[in-house]
Amino acid sequence: MQLKQSKRQNVKLRLGISGASGFGKTYSALQLAYGLTGDWTKIAVIDTENSSVSLYSNLGTFNVLDLYSPYSPERYNEAIETCERAKMEVVIIDSITHEWSGTGGCLQIQEQLGGRFQDWAKVTPRHQAFIDKILSANCHIITTTRRKVDYSLDMGSNGRAKVVKHGTKEITREGFEYELTVNFEIVNDQHLAKVSKDRTGLFTGKPEFVINSATGKKLLQWCNIEPLSLKGIDTRIQECLSVSKLMELYKQYPNFQKSHQAQFQQKKVELEKLSNPNNFSKNGTSVNTQ
């Protein structure tokens, strides 16, 4: 056994996008994937949605693997392995809901075994093998998940009541999102998204937004940045020679934004003083600003 320092290298993202039907999960996943690769030919979609992904063929020449029932965990695993052998950089599983509640999925398998609680002892390992395959794949994985639909009567901007569709609980086994790097929830038919899980810190506390290729690029940049220690970020802050470089560092490491807010602010004030011509005399010597 040997201890070694942790490094962020060759990170493969596990991203989830969930939402009600019609909220734009597939399109958002494709945009996210393109941002991660910049090459449509390196993207594969495992399509369980009756070729609905073909609606977006105008975006680029991505690859599609049609997966039909039975939607057993083993067939999903076989589809992922097919994409791995083809050296795909991003695999979109659209969607994982069928593995749980579709024809031949885990719920139906348990029912066919007798529907008893003890029958889960045979089904759970099969489902876990599917989760393990997602986690161990040698490419980025994006999963889409349907959410149960609910409706509410809201007041529109014109003062009239209107029916609004909402996504509620994800239709997959509870706890799946905790396996993901980031889990995006698309909250309405305007395609606005928020995060329910975010290990990167890039989206936590941010306003709702529309997922696009820039989102994927931001995540790819995060993959390629070496994590800094507390001592390391202190050094990097002090080494900044301009406010623009300081802001670049601030945005690059969102996990330090709260803990080092005072250090960033102090350095910003110092740099602004240095760039202010009123703080220097005509012969170039510094003027005391205290």
Side-chain angles (χ1 to χ4, degrees), residues 59-102:
L59 293 176
T61 53
F62 54 86
N63 304 276
V64 180
L65 191 160
D66 291 316
L67 184 63
Y68 302 105
S69 63
Y71 298 109
S72 66
E74 293 77 17
R75 281 174 52 77
Y76 271 85
N77 291 351
E78 183 182 351
I80 294 171
E81 289 169 0
T82 298
C83 296
E84 287 183 295
R85 287 194 297 269
K87 300 188 183 303
M88 294 292 105
E89 293 181 6
V90 184
V91 174
I92 300 170
I93 308 176
D94 186 31
S95 72
I96 66 167
T97 292
H98 296 76
E99 184 270 344
W100 185 247
S101 65

Side-chain angles (χ1 to χ4, degrees), residues 187-220:
V187 299
N188 58 25
D189 56 7
Q190 302 301 308
H191 315 309
L192 288 174
K194 64 180 182 180
V195 292
S196 57
K197 168 71 180 297
D198 183 10
R199 288 180 176 173
T200 69
L202 295 172
F203 310 100
T204 303
K206 300 295 192 298
E208 294 172 354
F209 63 98
V210 175
I211 296 171
N212 55 30
S213 60
T215 313
K217 290 178 182 177
K218 184 184 293 187
L219 284 163
L220 184 63

